[in-house]
């Protein structure tokens, strides 16, 4: 912490404190700086220190502290206005608006005092010659707060009609307030229109677009635009999270979670800010936060989670139900204080309305990790299971239950197992109800199905009951099913032995007319499935005899059932499954094309039979095969069909896998927006399935990549940070971890978070350091150096560039090496190393280009090196020109400019050698040389260079896309889209240079 010895050191200390994070520590430092200012005995120092204190209080949770320093400032102004310079005079009048809003936000300040202050503000603004725009804006805020709509509308109109002047809030803040009123009055579409310039980045400030993004969430949901709302949440929450003073906007994000089925995310937000429950400095935002906390807790209670532990005010543990009651009581008590002050019920009515909102979207996946409670997931997922038939008393009727269960099982509908379980339960609870042996057989049969590999005993029990019921064929089929579940448990040979007897007997029985096709088919299907287990479980190539046996069993089944299904859904399903088995045999026999055809046929047969959910497994298998055969069209068709046919019966993990596969296929053809939607769904369903840390993390990794490709940097950063919490080298591979860090570094760089971007890139580089191939390591080290330089960490950046340069040299990559040297030269110019070190580094870059050119044998490689050489001469010239110190003597400046011109001339010559492909690079260097000629007092030479540029474009028939272009301070780039614009800019600059040169000649 620097010592305060004079006014300059005080100003530096205040500037440093202003850069610190919002919060009590910054406020405390501002209070200390005011004491230091008073010791200087300089009135303006005290005025500036008070202004600094006002600012940090305003941007913190201790807004209530603003009134004391402002009252002192106002008294100093009234007593000695000459002590205020122009800036502090402006600042004093500016913060009148903060005082007006600050009083309104404090329920202990009487409304009469607020109105009086409003009049004082209007009077002082008029005396100072300011527009009434800011005054009418403040009046609008008062009227809107107390619920006086008529006055608010008048003030709103006057606000917009008044001229903007230096006292008006910035455009971004004004637009936020104007859009907020439109949304408040139910005009959501108009609100979004008003906010558009802020959302699109045309206007911004310290708190915008932060608050506009937050305020837009519910209007977007009400307008049926949930995807935009999701994007605004991910983008906006990143901005709000580090800013302590933005409790109101933070509350908007909690509210969004409560209204979109993202209760778990809402809990995470509450957990991040426990102090928001108790901070007293800004009562109005505390009311807003408590209101949405109550809303979220009530939502959890509706989902059956009222007893779950949740984050709340520090000092005790809370359940959702307890926190709901606490937050509601506290919020309504605060609202009542405001209403008592205001003389209306408006604040309480708004608070109650906010706390009792209903969800606006049942399910809005966000892409970020948030493990949803099981009961919450179950409550929000519509069940595909039909309701149980009711008897006259309203309870389930056993006969109706039995009929419904039989209908479901005979048509292979989902939930047949559950239906038979209801029959068993009803029978057990009904006195005097005797089930037939056939009924009890079917109950046992379906209970066995529900047990999976553990169901062999129940199948045997069912077989006994079928035999008693006089159905020997179905008894044999049940025994065959018992054998099959043994195969599922890994006892394939034992299962084959067990099915042999039922197989022989059912064929004999069928031949004698003692059973029907469905029962015989049941045994043959079980035997075929058992033989297919040998195929599925084989590691590597499958023995021919195994494939032959399985295929023969399947064809025997098909010979029995094909052409005989008629309206029997079960037989149609046997046919379809038989073709799917033949598909698998074909694939394992080395005929993937045949497998594709047969899987497609099987899926089609299931759909035609009215059993689309059975087609999903085979459509997914088909998609994988088509992908292997590079038939992306068929792969995409199959995946879409699988998602469609699975409907509500598709398990969450299967849905996640299908969506992610589809994302990869769609993304592979450049449809990044749709790919992102599927990756988003994959991440959501992975969380629902309880595999968020594994499969879900991979889906988030992919989603982040698709968002990066669309330039949606803030959304991508939020998703990628979420993915990194679960990604691990052991589970997902270190390549996924590096790529995620790499993408995140790119996002943070685009968002201006250069220090964090550097950290991510360095972390990725450290992992890549151990890879056999070092290109990624070098690239990441170079990118980290760029970020360090942009963060102002010049020494660290130089070390990172040196590390990257050494890697580029080892890799034989002269372009990377030269660019790292040039970047270090520019850094040296800004540090104590100075111009001498910068010159040496640029000279080394030129030598590396020359050595690489001599060593190259390929003409294409040589051309690229020549282009790099031209860029280096150009940048060397720029560097030399900028190194000429403004306070140096004329001879030193002239010498530096002469040397710079020499390098620019070399650059022009190099680019000329590259011909038309380097047109823009050549004209750029030519113009730079022309300006240097002008600075050196050589108008004739400057004009000649300007004419050369004009002549070059006049002679060029067209500009070739992709030609070599400039790269600024840090690396060479290639020309691309926008060449015509470059040409126009070059011509305009040449005309300007020509005009300057002519004026110089006339002097």
């Amino acid at each position: 912490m620097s010592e305060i010895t004079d006014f300059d050191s005080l100003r530096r200390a205040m500037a440093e404190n202003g850069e610190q994070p919002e919060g009590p520590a910054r406020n405390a430092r501002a209070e200390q700086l005011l004491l230091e200012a008073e010791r200087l005995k300089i009135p303006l120092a005290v005025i500036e220190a008070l202004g600094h204190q006002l600012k940090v209080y305003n941007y913190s949770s201790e807004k209530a502290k603003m009134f004391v320093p402002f009252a002192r400032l106002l008294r100093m102004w009234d007593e000695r206005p000459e002590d205020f310079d122009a800036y502090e005079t402006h600042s004093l009048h500016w913060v009148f608006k903060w005082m007006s809003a600050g009083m309104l936000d404090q329920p202990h300040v009487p409304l009469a005092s607020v109105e009086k202050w409003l009049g004082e503000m209007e009077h002082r603004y008029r005396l100072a010659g300011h527009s009434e725009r800011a005054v009418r804006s403040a009046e609008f805020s008062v009227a809107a707060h107390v619920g006086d709509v008529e006055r608010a509308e008048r003030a709103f109109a006057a606000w917009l009609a008044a001229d903007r002047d230096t006292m008006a809030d910035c455009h971004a803040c004004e637009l936020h307030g104007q859009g907020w009123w439109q949304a408040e009055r139910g005009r959501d579409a108009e609100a979004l229109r008003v906010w558009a310039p802020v959302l699109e980045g045309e206007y911004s400030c310290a708190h915008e677009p932060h608050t506009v993004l937050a305020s837009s969430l519910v209007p977007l949901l009400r307008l049926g635009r949930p995807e935009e709302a999701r994007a605004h949440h991910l983008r906006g929450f990143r901005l709000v999270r580090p800013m302590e003073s933005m409790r109101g906007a933070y509350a908007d994000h909690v509210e969004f979670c409560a209204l979109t089925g993202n209760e778990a995310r809402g809990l995470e937000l509450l957990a991040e800010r426990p102090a928001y429950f108790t901070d007293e400095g800004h009562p109005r935002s505390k009311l807003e936060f408590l209101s949405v906390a109550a809303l979220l807790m009530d939502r959890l209670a509706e989902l059956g989670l009222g007893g779950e532990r949740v984050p709340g005010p520090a000092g005790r543990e809370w359940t959702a139900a307890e926190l709901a009651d606490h937050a509601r009581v506290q919020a309504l008590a605060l609202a009542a204080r405001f209403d008592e002050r205001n003389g209306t019920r408006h604040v309480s009515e708004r608070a109650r309305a906010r706390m009792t909102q209903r969800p606006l979207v049942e399910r809005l996946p966000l892409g970020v990790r948030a493990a949803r409670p099981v009961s919450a997931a179950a409550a929000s997922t519509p069940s595909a299971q039909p309701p149980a038939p009711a008897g006259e008393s309203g309870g389930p009727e056993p006969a109706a239950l039995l009929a419904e269960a039989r209908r479901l099982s005979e048509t292979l509908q989902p939930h047949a197992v559950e239906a038979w379980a209801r029959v068993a339960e009803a029978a057990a609870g009904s006195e005097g109800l005797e089930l037939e042996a056939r009924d009890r057989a079917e109950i046992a049969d379906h209970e066995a199905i529900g047990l999976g590999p553990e169901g062999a005993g129940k199948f045997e029990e069912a077989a006994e009951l079928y035999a008693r019921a006089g159905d020997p064929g179905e008894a044999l089929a049940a025994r065959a099913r018992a054998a099959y579940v043994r195969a599922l448990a890994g006892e394939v040979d034992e299962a084959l032995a067990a099915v042999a007897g039922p197989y022989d007997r059912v064929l004999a029985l069928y031949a004698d007319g003692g059973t029907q096709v469905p029962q015989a088919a049941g045994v043959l299907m079980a035997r075929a499935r058992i033989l297919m287990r040998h195929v599925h479980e084989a590691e590597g190539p499958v023995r021919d005899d195994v494939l032959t046996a399985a295929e023969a069993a399947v064809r025997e089944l098909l010979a029995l059932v094909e052409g005989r299904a008629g309206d029997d859904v079960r037989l149609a399903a046997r046919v379809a499954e038989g073709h799917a088995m033949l598909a698998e045999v074909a694939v394992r026999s080395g005929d993937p094309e045949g497998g594709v055809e047969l899987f497609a046929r099987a899926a089609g047969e299931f759909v035609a039979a009215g059993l689309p959910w059975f087609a999903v497994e085979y459509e997914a298998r088909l998609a994988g095969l088509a992908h292997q055969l590079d038939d992306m069209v068929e792969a995409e068709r199959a995946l879409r069909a699988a998602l469609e046919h699975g409907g509500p019966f598709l398990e969450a993990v299967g849905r996640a896998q299908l969506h992610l596969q589809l994302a990869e296929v769609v993304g592979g053809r450049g449809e990044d927006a749709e790919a992102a939607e599927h990756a988003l769904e994959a991440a959501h369903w992975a969380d629902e399935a309880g595999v968020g840390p594994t499969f879900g993390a991979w889906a988030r990794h992919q989603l982040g990549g698709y968002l990066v490709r669309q330039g949606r940097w803030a959304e991508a950063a939020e998703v990628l940070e979420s993915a990194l919490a679960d990604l691990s080298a052991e589970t997902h591979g270190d390549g996924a971890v590096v790529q995620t860090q790499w993408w995140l570094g790119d996002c943070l760089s685009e968002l201006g978070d250069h220090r964090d971007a550097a950290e991510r890139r360095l972390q990725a580089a450290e992992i890549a350091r151990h890879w056999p191939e070092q290109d990624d390591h070098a690239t990441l080290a170079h990118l980290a150096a760029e970020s360090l330089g942009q963060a102002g960490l010049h020494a660290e950046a130089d070390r990172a560039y040196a590390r990257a340069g050494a890697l580029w040299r080892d890799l034989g990559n002269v372009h990377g090496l030269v660019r790292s040297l040039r970047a270090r030269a520019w850094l040296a110019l800004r540090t104590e190393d100075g111009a001498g070190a910068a010159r040496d580094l640029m000279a080394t870059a030129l030598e590396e280009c020359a050595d690489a050119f001599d060593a190259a044998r390929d003409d294409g490689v040589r051309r690229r090196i020549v282009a790099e050489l031209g860029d280096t001469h150009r940048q060397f010239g720029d560097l030399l020109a900028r190194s000429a110190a403004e306070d140096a003597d004329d001879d030193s400046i002239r010498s530096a400019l002469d040397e710079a011109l020499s390098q620019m001339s070399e650059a022009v010559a190099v680019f000329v050698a590259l011909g038309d492909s380097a047109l823009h690079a050549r004209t750029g260097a030519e113009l730079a040389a022309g300006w240097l000629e002008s600075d050196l007092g050589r108008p004739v030479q400057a004009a000649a260079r300007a004419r050369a540029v004009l002549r070059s474009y006049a002679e060029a028939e067209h500009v070739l896309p992709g030609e070599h272009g400039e790269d600024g301070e840090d690396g060479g780039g290639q020309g691309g889209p926008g060449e015509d614009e470059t040409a126009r800019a070059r011509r305009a600059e040449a005309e300007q240079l020509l005009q300057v040169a002519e004026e110089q000649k006339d002097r």
Side-chain angles (χ1 to χ4, degrees):
M1 191 175 294
S2 57
E3 183 181 357
I4 309 303
T5 58
D6 53 26
F7 200 173
D8 286 341
S9 61
L10 174 69
R11 283 173 165 165
R12 284 195 299 271
M14 289 190 294
E16 290 170 3
N17 193 46
E19 295 298 318
Q20 298 305 306
E22 295 178 355
R26 188 170 74 157
N27 295 353
R29 176 62 173 157
E31 292 162 3
Q32 181 183 359
L33 290 174
L34 175 59
L35 297 176
E36 299 283 356
E38 290 170 339
R39 294 191 185 100
L40 295 177
K41 306 297 184 183
I42 302 172
L44 185 58
V46 175
I47 291 167
E48 290 189 12
L50 285 166
H52 174 66
Q53 197 176 81
L54 264 172
K55 183 176 181 180
V56 299
Y57 285 157
N58 185 58
Y59 294 111
S60 78
S61 62
E62 298 180 304
K63 292 178 186 287
K65 290 185 174 182
M66 290 192 299
F67 302 114
V68 172
F70 182 73
R72 184 176 174 187
L73 268 176
L74 195 58
R75 185 173 64 252
M76 292 176 71
W77 167 262
D78 288 338
E79 293 173 354
R80 291 181 56 85
E82 64 271 18
D83 289 341
F84 288 70
D85 62 14
Y87 180 82
E88 293 304 326
T89 300
H90 177 274
S91 296
L92 176 70
H93 287 80
W94 180 269
V95 296
F96 262 89
K97 299 178 295 182
W98 293 357
M99 295 304 106
S100 176
M103 289 180 178
L104 202 60
D105 294 337
Q106 303 290 335
H108 70 275
V109 178
L111 190 61
S113 298
V114 177
E115 294 284 7
K116 181 181 178 182
W117 186 257
L118 188 61
E120 178 77 8
M121 176 183 175
E122 183 172 9
H123 172 68
R124 288 181 180 265
Y125 271 38
R126 188 181 298 114
L127 287 178
H130 297 307
S131 163
E132 66 172 13
R133 189 177 182 95
V135 178
R136 299 286 76 83
S137 173
E139 182 189 4
F140 159 76
S141 297
V142 173
H145 172 66
V146 302
D148 188 342
V149 174
E150 185 178 345
R151 182 187 181 192
E153 290 283 19
R154 286 198 310 271
F156 186 81
W159 169 20
L160 268 61
D163 292 335
R164 277 189 57 82
D165 67 352
T166 56
M167 281 298 112
D169 281 339
C170 75
H171 279 288
C173 288
E174 281 207 328
L175 290 173
H176 172 249
Q178 292 161 16
W180 173 86
W181 182 241
Q182 300 296 346
E184 185 74 6
R185 301 299 297 152
R187 300 185 286 262
D188 291 330
E190 178 62 14
L192 268 297
R193 187 195 66 77
V194 171
W195 286 328
V198 182
L199 294 171
E200 294 165 5
E202 184 177 347
Y203 300 119
S204 63
C205 68
H207 278 184
E208 296 298 351
H210 314 42
T211 56
V212 165
L213 286 164
S215 297
S216 71
L217 296 172
V218 171
L220 283 168
L221 292 173
R222 288 195 297 241
L223 288 170
R225 294 156 63 177
E227 292 79 12
E228 291 175 68
R230 174 177 60 226
H232 285 198
H233 169 65
L234 294 177
R235 177 183 164 202
F237 187 67
R238 288 189 65 80
L239 297 173
V240 169
R241 177 187 276 141
M243 302 184 73
E244 184 203 42
S245 63
M246 302 200 72
R247 178 163 55 182
Y250 200 99
D252 290 339
H253 287 279
V254 176
E255 176 184 43
F256 165 82
C257 293
L259 298 178
T260 57
N262 287 287
E263 296 83 11
R265 168 82 166 172
L267 292 176
E268 290 178 1
L269 267 57
L270 293 186
E272 285 190 31
R273 287 291 190 181
Y276 276 176
F277 284 100
T278 53
D279 282 345
E280 300 290 348
H282 192 246
R284 182 144 66 155
S285 67
K286 182 181 181 182
L287 166 60
E288 293 166 353
F289 185 79
L290 289 169
S291 297
V292 299
L295 169 69
L296 178 62
M297 294 306 112
D298 284 344
R299 178 63 184 150
L300 289 171
E302 287 179 25
L303 295 172
L305 300 170
E308 292 294 312
R309 188 168 297 172
V310 295
R316 57 161 288 187
E317 293 181 347
W318 297 88
T319 65
E322 290 169 343
L323 184 57
D325 291 341
H326 171 81
R328 185 178 298 103
V329 168
Q330 293 282 313
L332 291 176
L334 257 178
R337 288 176 58 200
F338 278 107
D339 283 345
E340 183 180 3
R341 186 270 302 270
N342 299 338
T344 69
R345 296 164 55 188
H346 181 66
V347 176
S348 293
E349 289 170 354
R350 290 188 78 251
R352 286 192 177 91
R354 194 169 197 184
M355 287 187 281
T356 57
Q357 291 177 95
R358 303 304 304 152
L360 294 171
V361 179
E362 183 178 326
R363 180 186 72 88
L364 182 60
L366 302 179
V368 292
R369 67 196 288 261
R372 195 172 186 187
V374 174
S375 51
S380 69
T381 304
S383 174
Q385 184 172 346
E392 292 182 4
S393 64
E397 180 67 43
L401 287 174
L402 184 61
E404 177 64 7
R406 188 158 285 136
R407 182 190 69 81
L408 291 174
S409 60
E410 288 177 352
T411 56
L412 299 181
Q413 297 297 305
H415 306 301
V417 170
E418 294 86 345
W420 281 104
R422 287 198 296 270
V423 171
E425 183 180 356
S430 178
E431 292 183 10
L433 177 63
E434 288 290 336
L435 291 175
E436 300 289 337
R438 175 75 189 201
D439 302 333
R440 288 185 283 121
E442 290 185 78
I443 290 173
D445 208 352
H446 285 85
E447 185 179 347
I449 293 171
L451 293 172
E454 307 300 321
K458 272 292 175 183
F459 277 128
E460 293 289 354
E461 180 184 330
E464 294 290 341
L465 290 166
Y466 280 127
R468 278 189 233 166
D471 191 344
E474 199 60 58
L476 291 170
R479 294 194 190 282
R481 288 192 284 274
Y484 173 56
V485 297
R486 293 186 66 182
L488 290 178
E491 301 174 4
V492 181
D493 291 334
E494 293 84 349
L496 272 176
V499 83
Y503 169 72
D504 291 336
R505 289 197 294 276
V506 83
L507 290 180
L509 192 63
Y510 177 68
D512 291 341
T515 192
Q516 302 298 314
V517 171
Q519 290 73 29
V523 177
L524 268 59
M525 175 57 80
R527 181 171 178 271
R529 286 172 174 169
I530 292 169
L531 287 166
M532 286 297 297
R533 296 304 300 172
H534 275 311
V535 176
H536 289 301
E537 294 177 0
E539 295 183 4
V542 185
R543 296 199 324 263
D544 289 344
D545 60 320
V546 171
L547 290 168
T548 300
E551 182 177 0
V554 175
R555 293 200 181 278
E556 184 179 15
L557 166 69
L558 289 173
L560 174 66
V561 295
E562 276 191 304
R564 299 181 181 179
D567 295 332
D568 191 327
V569 171
R570 291 174 298 179
L571 289 181
R574 302 294 192 206
V575 173
E577 187 176 349
H579 288 135
M581 289 177 176
L582 289 181
E584 190 62 46
V585 170
V587 172
R588 299 303 294 265
S589 300
D591 180 16
E593 293 85 357
V596 165
E597 182 180 345
L598 283 163
F599 275 129
R601 179 177 178 180
E605 288 168 339
F606 274 122
V607 173
L611 306 169
W613 47 87
F614 284 120
V616 173
E617 176 185 351
Y618 307 113
E619 285 163 337
R621 187 77 173 89
L622 168 60
L625 282 173
H627 203 153
Q628 291 175 24
L629 295 170
D630 205 27
D631 185 352
M632 294 300 129
V633 173
E634 178 61 11
E636 182 176 343
R637 184 209 63 76
L639 289 167
R640 291 188 189 280
L643 283 167
E644 176 189 351
H645 293 149
F649 311 113
L650 193 58
E651 291 186 0
V653 68
R655 193 179 296 274
Q657 291 167 345
L658 289 171
H659 272 297
L660 192 58
Q661 287 175 316
L662 189 52
E664 292 170 354
V665 171
V666 173
R669 57 179 170 83
E671 299 292 338
D672 296 326
E674 185 183 354
E677 286 299 317
H678 287 296
L680 178 70
E681 288 290 331
H684 168 79
W685 288 109
D687 289 340
E688 292 287 308
V691 291
T694 52
F695 190 83
W698 178 254
R700 276 182 266 281
H701 159 81
Q702 296 284 70
L703 170 59
Y706 294 128
L707 292 171
V708 165
R709 282 159 64 170
Q710 296 174 74
R712 294 160 63 179
W713 308 112
E715 296 169 68
E718 196 74 5
V719 170
L720 291 167
E721 286 175 347
S722 181
L724 277 172
D726 291 318
L727 282 174
S728 68
E730 295 76 20
T731 303
H732 305 94
D734 55 7
V737 178
V738 167
Q739 183 62 79
T740 303
Q741 295 275 27
W742 193 327
W743 281 331
L744 182 54
D746 291 346
C747 293
L748 295 170
S749 178
E750 292 288 342
L751 294 169
D753 298 336
H754 299 300
R755 190 182 293 259
D756 288 343
E759 182 180 351
R760 295 298 185 179
R761 287 166 166 174
L762 288 170
Q763 289 170 351
E766 181 60 25
I767 298 173
R769 182 170 68 88
H770 304 286
W771 293 354
E773 300 294 330
Q774 287 290 285
D775 292 89
D776 286 340
H777 182 200
T779 302
L780 285 162
H782 199 114
L783 290 171
E786 286 182 6
S787 294
L788 289 166
Q790 290 167 321
L793 303 172
H794 297 146
E796 294 87 342
D798 182 71
R799 287 195 294 272
Y801 274 126
R803 173 186 176 187
L807 291 166
W808 291 129
R809 185 185 298 279
D810 291 343
L811 290 166
N813 188 324
V814 66
H815 306 284
L817 172 59
V818 167
R819 293 172 192 187
S820 67
L821 288 166
R822 292 198 306 243
R824 292 182 67 197
W826 285 106
L827 283 171
L829 197 61
R830 303 188 186 103
T831 62
E832 295 178 358
D833 293 338
R839 287 166 179 258
D840 291 344
L841 287 162
M842 279 292 186
T844 302
L846 289 174
E847 292 170 5
E848 293 292 347
C849 287
D851 291 345
F853 182 84
D854 292 340
R857 296 293 177 263
D858 180 85
D859 289 342
V861 173
R862 284 190 161 206
R863 282 185 64 83
R864 288 193 294 275
I865 295 172
V866 170
E868 203 71 71
L869 177 64
D871 275 342
T872 305
H873 279 300
R874 167 69 196 270
Q875 288 198 39
F876 202 170
D878 284 337
L879 183 141
L880 290 168
R882 295 189 198 183
S883 68
E886 292 182 2
D887 57 353
D889 59 77
D890 290 345
D891 288 342
S892 297
I893 294 174
R894 189 172 187 83
S895 175
L897 294 180
D898 270 326
E899 196 175 354
L901 178 59
S902 175
Q903 290 294 334
M904 286 298 180
S905 298
E906 290 285 351
V908 171
V910 170
F911 290 135
V912 166
L914 291 172
D916 291 340
S917 66
L919 175 61
H920 289 333
R922 170 162 51 91
T923 56
E926 191 84 77
L927 286 168
W931 289 112
L932 287 169
E933 300 274 21
S934 176
D935 290 340
L936 288 164
R938 302 169 185 167
V940 174
Q941 292 88 334
R945 291 189 182 275
R947 292 190 184 96
V949 170
L950 293 171
R951 188 167 54 251
S952 295
Y953 284 112
E955 293 173 352
E957 294 181 359
H958 60 275
V959 178
L960 298 175
E963 60 98 359
H964 186 79
E966 297 171 82
D967 65 348
E969 294 185 3
D970 184 19
Q974 298 297 311
E979 283 80 9
D980 290 343
E981 184 179 344
T982 302
R984 286 193 295 271
R986 291 279 196 272
R987 290 192 186 97
E989 187 180 352
E991 294 286 0
Q992 182 185 8
L993 176 59
L994 194 58
Q995 182 179 351
V996 169
E998 294 300 330
E999 290 173 355
Q1000 277 186 307
K1001 283 193 284 185
D1002 292 339
R1003 289 176 191 159

